């Protein structure tokens, strides 16, 4: 199958969050399974160029339409992580991708609309069309109506379009005139059954456009798929998703085990696996040595206590009040707590900086407010418990990484967290499938109800705790199964089922 992914992020060269990892992980597994995969992204000036080899131009002077004029784009190709990546570089006076950032410019809507039109124009002009055009999030979603309404009538009838929604909170709402700027007459699509926004009636919604016009729509876990159709988690798009439920599916994300692997992790001084952990006695072996290293690195006391950690972007979605509660109560629970995170929201960043000062010399609590890849790996490896108290979470990667590194997740029952973590005591799943602690209420009492049980088990039942750790490490959340599900989804679309 020939598959083209169109996205605004790609790890490791243009990464803001989980989207970048998903596009890389899924593409890599598809290509390992023998399919021809390409990824189309904007040629941002802030790309990590060291990650790209074999750079060459594949199309000069690709003409694309924006605000009544045709302008030239260069499309160049490069190899990233053994995958073929195509970069679109618009030669427009607005210099859309020369902003030193991926998102956060005032004209993000216009930047990505312009990218979307050029991307589909490129695929149309090429000699061989792909079988599947896989769009990610609102930045690429408008390509679905472009294909259905503009390019199919021109004879571009073979490719099927798939939209994956990675987070319902970001929808790309704009004026009908913005749509007209890329050639889709705004007034025509400003209707409830097309792109009109269901909450802000004067606007159009690019993500909704993808839901209405793509041949297939997915989101990143089955439980989140249910939530967004039936509850406010749909953020106003529930009705659109219900109307198109026949083509909508939740497919769980995978984790890249070639990168997240305690057996080979280049950021760790010693390595371990599910096998070596099973052979080691509780609280001995490589993982406990790494716990010592982590405490030494962060100047935490070396005492017989469980180490709780949290790694997250500090935004309201991640359950900030609960994270603060765990930091404040760590010492009285006879535990230790580490937070690694940074916030794009200034008042939240300021609040956590104050907490960082408050705990700067504390023997049991530490906050690190930067993006630190190496430290993240040591935290996953050296901790006992990992908290993910999100208010909502489409899939979540950190709980999957924690499992792989033998750190027991304590998570809120929402979105993909509910699909991946089964409570050791209350789940109705088979005992072998239970891998952590789960709570419901999004408040201090809620998280305490799970965390207290985890801490009690750590102190009182070290053998059972050790079994739980080893069981989590053996869970398979690789890209293998999710990719098979995507392939089945693609095939059903191609064969009209
Ligand atoms: P989201 O995409 O909403 O940020 P995910 O759980 O899908 O959440 O992915 C978060 C990823 O970002 C994980 O790989 C996590 O380890 C990483 N991460 C988050 N904050 C930091 C940080 N401060 N330093 C290093 N890695 C971080």
């Amino acid at each position: 199958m020939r598959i083209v992914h169109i996205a605004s992020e790609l790890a490791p060269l243009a990464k803001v969050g989980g989207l970048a990892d998903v596009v890389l992980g899924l593409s890599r597994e598809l290509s390992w399974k023998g399919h021809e995969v390409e990824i189309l992204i904007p040629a941002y000036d802030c790309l990590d160029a060291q990650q790209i080899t074999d750079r060459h131009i594949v199309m000069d002077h690709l003409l694309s339409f924006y605000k009544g004029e045709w302008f030239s784009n260069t499309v160049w190709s490069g190899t990233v992580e053994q995958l073929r990546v195509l970069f679109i570089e618009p030669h427009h006076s607005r210099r859309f991708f020369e902003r030193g950032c991926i998102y956060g410019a005032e004209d993000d809507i216009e930047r990505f609309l312009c990218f979307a039109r050029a991307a589909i124009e490129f695929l149309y002009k090429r000699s061989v069309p792909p079988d599947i055009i896989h769009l990610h999030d609102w930045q690429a979603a408008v390509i679905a109506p472009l294909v259905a309404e503009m390019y199919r009538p021109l004879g571009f009838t073979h490719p099927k379009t798939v939209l994956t929604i990675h987070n319902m909170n970001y929808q790309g709402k704009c004026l009908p005139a913005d749509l007209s700027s890329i050639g889709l007459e705004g007034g025509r699509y400003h209707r409830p059954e097309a792109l009109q926004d269901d909450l802000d009636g004067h606007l159009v919604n690019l993500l909704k456009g993808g839901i209405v016009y793509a041949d297939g729509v997915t989101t990143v876990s089955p439980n989140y798929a249910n939530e967004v159709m039936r509850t406010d988690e749909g953020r106003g798009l529930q009705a659109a998703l219900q109307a198109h439920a026949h083509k909508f599916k939740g497919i769980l994300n995978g984790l890249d085990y070639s990168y997240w692997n305690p057996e080979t992790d280049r950021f760790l001084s010693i390595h371990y696996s599910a096998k070596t952990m099973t052979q080691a006695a509780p609280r001995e072996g490589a993982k406990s040595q790494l716990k010592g290293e982590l405490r030494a690195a962060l100047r935490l006391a070396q005492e017989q206590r469980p180490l709780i950690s949290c790694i997250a972007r500090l935004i309201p979605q991640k359950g900030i009040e609960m994270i603060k509660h765990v930091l404040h109560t760590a010492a009285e629970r006879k535990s230790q707590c580490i937070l690694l995170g940074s916030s794009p929201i200034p008042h939240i960043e300021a609040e956590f900086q104050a907490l960082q000062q408050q705990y700067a010399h504390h023997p049991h609590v530490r906050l690190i407010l930067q993006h630190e890849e190496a430290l993240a790996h040591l935290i996953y490896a050296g901790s006992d418990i990992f908290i993910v108290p999100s208010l909502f979470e489409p899939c979540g990667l950190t709980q999957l990484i924690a499992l792989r590194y033998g750190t027991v997740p304590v998570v809120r029952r929402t979105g993909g967290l509910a699909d991946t973590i089964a409570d050791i005591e209350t789940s109705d799943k088979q005992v072998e499938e239970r891998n952590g602690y789960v709570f419901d209420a999004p408040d201090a009492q809620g998280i305490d109800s799970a965390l207290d049980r985890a801490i009690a088990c750590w102190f009182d039942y070290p053998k059972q705790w050790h079994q739980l750790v080893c069981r989590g490490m053996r869970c398979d959340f690789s890209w293998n199964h999710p990719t098979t599900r995507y392939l089945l989804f693609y095939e059903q679309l191609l064969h009209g089922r």
Side-chain angles (χ1 to χ4, degrees):
M1 226 182 278
R2 299 188 76 221
I3 302 147
V4 179
H5 289 274
I6 307 183
S8 53
E9 294 183 39
L10 173 66
L13 75 167
K15 174 169 168 166
V16 175
L19 167 64
D21 296 314
V22 172
V23 177
L24 178 72
L26 173 59
S27 300
R28 202 144 56 168
E29 190 75 28
L30 283 167
S31 111
W32 283 336
K33 290 194 189 309
H35 300 278
E36 211 178 297
V37 184
E38 290 175 320
I39 303 153
L40 247 168
I41 65 169
Y44 302 104
D45 60 351
C46 57
L47 287 175
D48 183 354
Q50 282 182 335
Q51 310 282 351
I52 312 168
T53 54
D54 305 332
R55 269 175 73 140
H56 59 273
I57 289 177
V58 289
M59 201 181 281
D60 227 349
H61 308 303
L62 164 74
L63 286 181
S64 180
F65 182 84
Y66 188 71
K67 283 203 173 159
E69 56 168 329
W70 290 86
F71 69 97
S72 173
N73 294 259
T74 300
V75 184
W76 44 277
S77 155
T79 304
V80 177
E81 302 275 329
Q82 293 157 8
L83 287 166
R84 182 151 196 245
V85 183
L86 297 156
F87 301 87
I88 300 224
E89 185 179 350
H91 302 296
H92 191 278
S93 56
R94 297 273 296 275
R95 298 171 170 265
F96 285 118
F97 297 108
E98 297 170 49
R99 307 293 177 79
C101 65
I102 293 178
Y103 312 122
E106 268 182 9
D107 56 351
D108 276 359
I109 292 277
E110 293 167 279
R111 296 167 73 214
F112 290 105
L113 279 172
C114 189
F115 163 69
R117 175 74 202 257
I120 191 61
E121 187 73 26
F122 167 68
L123 295 182
Y124 171 65
K125 292 264 167 67
R126 248 173 156 193
S127 49
V128 188
D131 299 306
I132 296 290
I133 302 176
H134 194 146
L135 313 169
H136 296 269
D137 278 351
W138 70 261
Q139 292 85 352
V142 73
I143 291 174
L146 279 168
V147 168
E149 298 282 286
M150 192 183 289
Y151 287 86
R152 276 190 187 142
L154 294 173
F156 193 61
T157 51
H158 177 70
K160 297 290 179 195
T161 51
V162 173
L163 166 70
T164 295
I165 303 170
H166 296 258
N167 191 327
M168 272 291 172
N169 252 20
Y170 308 105
Q171 300 185 358
K173 295 186 187 188
C174 54
L175 293 168
D178 290 315
L179 215 50
S180 307
S181 68
I182 57 163
L184 281 175
E185 196 192 317
R188 235 186 102 195
Y189 296 94
H190 190 214
R191 294 178 281 122
E193 65 279 19
L195 273 76
Q196 184 176 16
D197 189 70
D198 293 358
L199 300 179
D200 300 304
H202 65 295
L203 298 176
V204 290
N205 182 318
L206 301 180
L207 196 64
K208 181 175 173 183
I211 294 168
V212 172
Y213 288 97
D215 298 306
V217 182
T218 71
T219 189
V220 291
S221 68
N223 190 44
Y224 190 60
N226 261 323
E227 289 174 352
V228 296
M229 268 208 292
R230 297 183 215 298
T231 72
D232 285 348
E233 293 304 339
R235 304 287 185 260
L237 288 175
Q238 297 92 310
L241 288 166
Q242 281 161 21
H244 295 273
H246 60 284
K247 62 178 187 188
F248 180 49
K249 193 175 166 64
I251 300 180
L252 193 70
N253 279 340
L255 183 66
D256 185 348
Y257 284 150
S258 62
Y259 185 70
W260 294 110
N261 182 357
E263 238 180 314
T264 53
D265 193 317
R266 64 193 155 105
F267 296 107
L268 300 183
S269 61
I270 22 174
H271 296 109
Y272 61 102
S273 63
K275 196 170 161 203
T276 62
M277 277 295 281
T278 311
Q279 288 161 351
R283 294 181 195 168
E284 284 178 19
K287 188 168 165 72
S288 55
Q289 247 177 281
L290 290 162
K291 182 174 176 180
E293 276 185 28
L294 174 60
R295 285 166 151 170
L298 298 181
R299 294 173 292 102
L300 291 174
Q302 304 276 0
E303 285 175 21
Q304 182 86 319
R305 283 168 178 252
L307 181 48
I308 305 165
S309 61
C310 176
I311 303 178
R313 288 185 298 128
L314 299 171
I315 54 173
Q317 174 193 337
K318 301 293 177 182
I320 284 183
E321 291 307 316
M322 287 177 274
I323 296 174
K324 286 194 308 202
H325 170 71
V326 175
L327 286 165
H328 291 316
T329 53
E332 73 197 45
R333 289 178 208 267
K334 297 201 166 31
S335 65
Q336 295 182 314
C337 186
I338 298 171
L339 169 66
L340 172 63
S342 58
S343 184
I345 303 167
H347 76 91
I348 296 180
E349 181 74 13
E351 185 183 10
F352 277 92
Q353 272 168 0
L355 284 179
Q356 185 182 40
Q357 289 299 318
Q358 181 185 334
Y359 286 110
H361 305 290
H362 197 284
H364 303 304
V365 180
R366 200 66 77 239
L367 289 84
I368 306 96
L369 303 179
Q370 284 126 27
H371 192 97
E372 286 199 32
E373 192 66 20
L375 180 60
H377 288 244
L378 184 57
I379 291 175
Y380 285 118
S383 306
D384 297 297
I385 297 169
F386 193 91
I387 56 162
V388 194
S390 304
L391 303 182
F392 72 94
E393 194 61 74
C395 177
L397 292 178
T398 57
Q399 83 280 14
L400 304 181
I401 306 172
L403 280 177
R404 196 55 161 187
Y405 283 70
T407 299
V408 175
V410 170
V411 307
R412 196 166 160 259
R413 194 191 318 273
T414 181
L417 300 173
D419 279 326
T420 52
I421 306 302
D423 192 284
I424 184 76
E425 287 157 10
T426 62
S427 168
D428 50 15
K429 286 191 173 164
Q430 301 277 332
V431 175
E432 306 80 64
E433 290 177 53
R434 300 184 197 170
N435 54 8
Y437 293 85
V438 181
F439 64 95
D440 285 290
D443 53 31
Q445 262 184 325
I447 192 164
D448 284 351
S449 70
L451 196 54
D452 288 345
R453 288 186 290 131
I455 292 172
C457 181
W458 189 92
F459 275 112
D460 301 336
Y461 302 99
K463 251 191 177 162
Q464 277 92 328
W465 182 264
H466 191 68
Q467 281 167 358
L468 177 59
V469 165
C470 295
R471 204 185 298 149
M473 292 185 76
R474 285 193 298 268
C475 290
D476 180 3
F477 288 106
S478 69
W479 270 106
N480 182 26
H481 299 302
T483 305
T484 305
R485 291 191 185 105
Y486 274 111
L487 280 167
L488 195 65
F489 194 71
Y490 295 160
E491 265 159 24
Q492 285 169 342
L493 294 179
L494 286 169
H495 299 120
R497 274 179 272 147

